[in-house]
């Protein structure tokens, strides 16, 4: 592995968790602006948390891609595969946290997100510098990236009523209105049980 690549990946290991924190709070920092809706977390659902981790990893991958002088196709294939890895394993780890019934899951989710990103960096490097021919996978990976963008945009605006899109604190989906009384929702949830 080249020395520049190692440096960029070390910077990525530092910067990606910082971007996750910024994107987690972007919706409240922008007072619900369109920028915050598409790039931030609008609620505490598993999807919104996964979305910001994948976005942080993707942005850092784009930063690394700008500095690539050769082997762009191998790099792109390895990063697109690792972005799908990030999404799948973030959702699986968040589902596990949900199944264990951890009440305040922000810190365990963040730890899982950072661990998944570290594994994705390793996976990407192993794929990029392996002896396998990755160039023929470039077009299918471009299709997978377009599919990911479509899923990202549609599920951000129109989340289906499934457990991974449900806000864990409010039991609602999508953007939580400001006038909602969280105490009333908690009491209503207890009443239903």
């Amino acid at each position: 592995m080249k020395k520049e690549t190692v440096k960029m990946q070390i910077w990525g290991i530092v910067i990606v968790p910082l971007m996750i924190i910024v994107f987690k709070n972007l919706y409240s920092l922008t007072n619900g602006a369109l920028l915050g809706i598409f790039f931030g977390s609008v609620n505490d659902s598993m999807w919104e948390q996964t979305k910001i981790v994948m976005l942080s990893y993707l942005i850092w991958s784009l930063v690394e891609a700008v500095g690539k002088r050769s082997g762009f196709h191998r790099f792109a294939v390895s990063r697109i595969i690792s972005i799908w890895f990030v999404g799948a394993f973030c959702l699986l780890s968040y589902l596990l946290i949900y199944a264990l019934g951890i009440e305040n899951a922000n810190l365990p989710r963040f730890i899982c997100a950072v661990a998944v990103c570290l594994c994705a960096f390793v996976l990407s490097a192993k794929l990029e510098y392996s002896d396998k021919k990755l160039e023929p996978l470039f077009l299918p990976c471009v299709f997978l990236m377009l599919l990911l963008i479509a899923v990202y945009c549609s599920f951000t605006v129109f989340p289906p009523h499934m457990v991974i899109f449900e806000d864990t604190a409010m039991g609602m989906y999508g953007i939580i209105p400001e006038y909602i009384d969280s105490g009333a929702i908690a009491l209503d949830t207890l009443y239903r049980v």
Side-chain angles (χ1 to χ4, degrees):
M1 201 180 317
K2 296 179 182 177
K3 188 176 180 181
E4 296 85 25
T5 305
V6 172
K7 278 185 185 177
M8 287 298 284
Q9 291 211 342
I10 290 172
W11 275 107
I13 291 168
V14 172
I15 292 176
V16 167
L18 295 175
M19 284 195 301
I20 291 170
I21 293 169
V22 169
F23 288 139
K24 169 86 170 113
N25 299 307
L26 188 64
Y27 180 71
S28 59
L29 291 173
T30 60
N31 291 325
L34 188 60
L35 175 75
I37 291 171
F38 267 106
F39 301 114
S41 174
V42 299
N43 61 33
D44 276 340
S45 69
M46 291 177 242
W47 165 251
E48 291 293 323
Q49 306 310 311
T50 301
K51 177 180 90 167
I52 60 175
V53 175
M54 291 172 67
L55 181 64
S56 301
Y57 187 79
L58 174 66
I59 289 174
W60 184 253
S61 297
L62 292 174
V63 168
E64 280 191 58
V66 169
K68 280 286 182 192
R69 292 190 176 92
S70 63
F72 175 76
H73 286 94
R74 291 185 68 81
F75 175 78
V77 168
S78 69
R79 283 301 166 100
I80 291 170
I81 290 171
S82 62
I83 285 171
W84 278 91
F85 170 85
V86 166
F89 278 89
C90 272
L91 278 177
L92 288 174
S93 64
Y94 295 165
L95 279 169
L96 179 65
I97 290 169
Y98 177 77
L100 292 174
I102 298 174
E103 293 298 320
N104 190 1
N106 287 333
L107 184 60
R109 283 182 180 176
F110 182 72
I111 292 169
C112 287
V114 171
V116 166
C117 285
L118 289 173
C119 293
F121 277 121
V122 171
L123 173 68
S124 175
K126 288 212 178 269
L127 285 173
E128 185 179 0
Y129 294 105
S130 71
D131 294 334
K132 297 176 182 162
K133 290 190 63 97
L134 297 178
E135 289 81 6
L137 297 175
F138 182 71
L139 286 178
C141 282
V142 168
F143 172 74
L144 283 175
M145 194 65 218
L146 292 174
L147 178 66
L148 181 66
I149 291 169
V151 166
Y152 181 94
C153 291
S154 63
F155 287 165
T156 296
V157 179
F158 305 109
H161 290 281
M162 297 169 56
V163 71
I164 63 171
F165 299 100
E166 180 182 7
D167 180 74
T168 54
M170 300 288 219
M172 300 176 79
Y173 301 90
I175 300 171
I176 309 296
E178 290 181 30
Y179 58 83
I180 295 292
D181 182 10
S182 60
I185 291 177
L187 287 174
D188 185 51
T189 304
L190 289 174
Y191 177 72
R192 289 183 192 174
V193 175

